Amino acid sequence: MDKNWDKMFETRLSKMTGWRDSTLATHHDSLTLFYPFSGPDFLHANYLYPHAPTYLLAALEPVAAVPQLDTLPLSDRDKFLDTLGVSLRDIFQKSYFITKHMKTDLKQVKGVLPPLYFFIQRSGHEFISQKFITIDSTGNETEVDYNKLHWQKTPGVKLVIRNIATQEIKTVYYFSVSISNSGLTER
């Protein structure tokens, strides 16, 4: 993971940062960033818009509870971490997730949260809180018990994080939803 991260940072993320600083220098990223078809890609959203207070990610991939790694037997933990590494291969190599791979990979790591956690932590943030949520019929955010999350039309998660270097507090929303024309009609 460290080798892949270092290579990606050197060949892509550092260049993105340079481009961002020279091209978007006059842009103040103080608005909510909406990233459709994102999968768990907080990484690129954050590197392009590091001061956005709110990131709204939406994609088809499911939200699921993350296993408690410290309670798993060592062999299961190793298998989980190996699977997480495999699930990140397209981001490391290409800068985007491939839907066909994610369908298989994210079943094995139990949804978008493990890669999302990985990107949040590796980009210099720490977790403050997490809630499973949905959007009700009036457009309001509602906290949902995890066991009832998948009964919702718009299952999601709300993560509050802090940038360790700047102390900026950010909110990351991820909703598992089809934002295609037919998917939105169903909502």
Side-chain angles (χ1 to χ4, degrees):
M1 286 279 217
D2 287 337
K3 285 180 189 177
N4 285 332
W5 181 268
D6 292 345
K7 181 179 178 185
M8 179 179 60
F9 185 83
E10 182 181 315
T11 60
R12 182 178 339 124
L13 297 178
S14 64
K15 291 178 169 86
M16 283 176 64
T17 301
W19 177 86
R20 176 199 71 214
D21 292 347
S22 67
T23 307
L24 301 177
T26 59
H27 174 76
H28 300 286
D29 53 349
S30 61
L31 300 174
T32 296
L33 176 77
F34 176 53
Y35 186 177
F37 311 108
S38 63
D41 185 15
F42 170 77
L43 178 70
H44 292 96
N46 178 68
Y47 269 85
L48 285 173
Y49 299 98
H51 302 294
T54 306
Y55 299 84
L56 176 55
L57 286 65
L60 293 172
E61 291 71 37
V63 176
V66 177
Q68 293 289 354
L69 293 181
D70 57 348
T71 63
L72 289 177
L74 188 57
S75 62
D76 291 346
R77 187 177 337 156
D78 288 345
K79 182 179 177 184
F80 176 84
L81 293 172
D82 287 344
T83 303
L84 176 60
V86 169
S87 75
L88 299 173
R89 72 185 173 284
D90 294 326
I91 284 287
F92 285 141
Q93 296 171 4
K94 296 177 174 43
S95 82
Y96 54 88
F97 286 104
I98 296 175
T99 303
K100 179 175 70 171
H101 293 165
M102 279 197 309
K103 283 182 181 182
T104 304
D105 297 343
L106 295 183
K107 281 181 187 173
Q108 294 179 24
V109 295
K110 310 293 186 236
V112 297
L113 288 178
L116 191 55
Y117 290 170
F118 177 82
F119 294 139
I120 288 169
Q121 191 278 327
R122 279 293 181 121
S123 63
H125 295 82
E126 62 185 352
F127 291 91
I128 296 173
S129 67
Q130 172 181 300
K131 293 179 184 177
F132 294 107
I133 61 170
T134 190
I135 301 298
D136 68 19
S137 61
T138 61
N140 293 311
E141 171 187 323
T142 305
E143 188 170 359
V144 177
D145 179 86
Y146 173 73
N147 294 322
K148 296 178 182 175
L149 182 66
H150 297 289
W151 299 349
Q152 308 302 315
K153 288 185 177 181
T154 52
V157 64
K158 176 184 181 179
L159 303 167
V160 178
I161 62 175
R162 178 186 301 120
N163 182 302
I164 295 168
T166 66
Q167 295 298 298
E168 288 176 291
I169 304 292
K170 303 176 182 192
T171 304
V172 179
Y173 291 94
Y174 175 86
F175 289 100
S176 177
V177 61
S178 172
I179 53 178
S180 66
N181 288 342
S182 61
L184 290 174
T185 304
E186 294 171 8
R187 302 282 170 216

